Amino acid sequence: MNPLIPQERHHPGEGPGDGTLAVRAGLPEPVKHEPTLPGPVFAAHFHLPGEPTGPYTYGRDENPTWTHLERAIGTLEAPGESGVETVVFASGMAAISAVLLSQLSAGDAVVLPADGYQALPLLHEQLRAYGIEVRTAPTGGDAQLDVLDGAGLLWIETPSNPGLDVCDIRRLVAAAHAGGALVAVDNTLATPLGQRPLELGADFSVASDTKGMTGHGDVLLGHVSCRDPLRAAEVRRWRKIVGAIPGPMEAWLAHRSLATLQLRIDRQCATALGLARVLAEHPDVTGLRHPGLPEDPSHAIAARQMRRFGSVISFELADRARAERFLEELRLVDDATSFGGVRSSAERRGRWGGDAVAEGFIRFSVGAEDPEDLIADVLRALDAARKAVG
């Protein structure tokens, strides 16, 4: 048993474990001579004599490859539940937009995180243009509670990106539902193996599957999962209206990638926590954040609601020059945006200009490399940056 990995809550008789779920989720019933995971279905239309009934009529509405993937993701989001519906999208932002724009109308108020994904402010502008009041508050300290009164929807992002603050999902859900508000949780950083928002009471679990869910940096995809069939139908209708559909090849690649989700996530989470422990002792590193560290401000809440603590670390170096030289010196880490992939990546997040972070702030996504190799590379790059820049 690896002490760095939070052990999944799985005991005999409680149903399959995470690895079994990931490998088997969404597969069709076996048919002799047919593949276990059918290939992508490329179809703009389907044979449809007579009345237009049945699941597959036109390619913008449904596709068998989406169906397999949606069932697979639903299984991971809420194991053992038959009533959860999942809708897949062409990107994470398409999934986010679908929830917000299908559930809110002119005159409604929405609460969004002030420290969330940097594309959210683009949605602020669009929501206000539609006559929707936008309120914001930070993730940490459950601060969104302070602006929740009278809102129609609460949007939670926990852990937050890139600051890695955590809020108490159960507490926020209880308060929101008491006031008649829906709750959506952006679960991108955690994945369903790290946290299951629907089990914690949320109405929607949303993610950019571009990140950890698919994990190879080669697919743009997103999804929305919820228990309420009427809400799911509204989200699905929005997908049809705007045409934010995934390609069948992307959906098939995503489903194939899910089979290794537990293997990838466990390796990445374990290495991330090990690296965070090393960085905590390094004199050049300040502002270190990782919810798995016992000394992290968010650890107590994270330990109550997260099953794994994620593969992302954030920290600060002295200034922009030191951060950029550190990134240049890394040999096993790509200087790239995004996170959750099998190849480690890092970036100076301030280069985008949309996050309230210091010039030397680094978001580091831990991949599946050998932990010893990755940690040695990071320490060498830190030393080289100090010598080069001072």
Side-chain angles (χ1 to χ4, degrees), residues 111-118 120-121 124 135-140 143-144 147 155 157 160-162 354-356:
V111 175
L112 297 168
D115 52 349
Y117 179 50
Q118 68 167 210
L120 283 178
H124 295 185
R135 307 172 189 169
T136 62
T139 299
Q144 289 173 299
V147 294
W155 188 274
E157 184 179 303
S160 61
N161 173 30
D355 298 307

Side-chain angles (χ1 to χ4, degrees), residues 150 168 243 251 259 264-265 298 337 346 349 354 376:
D168 188 330
R264 292 185 280 107
I265 293 296
S298 291
T337 195
R349 193 63 187 166

Side-chain angles (χ1 to χ4, degrees), residues 40-116:
V41 175
F42 299 101
H45 57 266
F46 301 84
H47 287 295
L48 193 65
E51 294 299 315
T53 59
Y56 307 113
T57 58
Y58 185 66
R60 193 181 68 252
D61 298 336
E62 295 291 346
N63 179 289
T65 310
W66 304 350
T67 300
H68 294 316
L69 176 60
E70 289 173 343
R71 289 173 180 168
I73 294 174
T75 296
L76 295 172
E77 287 279 9
E81 293 192 33
S82 59
V84 171
E85 294 192 37
T86 295
V87 186
V88 292
F89 288 85
S91 69
M93 279 305 297
I96 291 170
S97 300
V99 173
L100 292 170
L101 296 173
S102 70
Q103 302 302 309
L104 295 168
S105 303
D108 289 340
V110 61
V111 175
L112 297 168
D115 52 349

Side-chain angles (χ1 to χ4, degrees), residues 313-332:
I313 302 167
S314 68
F315 57 93
E316 294 179 20
L317 298 179
D319 51 32
R320 173 174 178 169
R322 180 78 69 90
E324 290 180 344
R325 187 55 183 261
F326 164 70
L327 295 170
E328 290 172 7
E329 293 288 344
L330 290 166
R331 296 171 183 167
L332 298 180

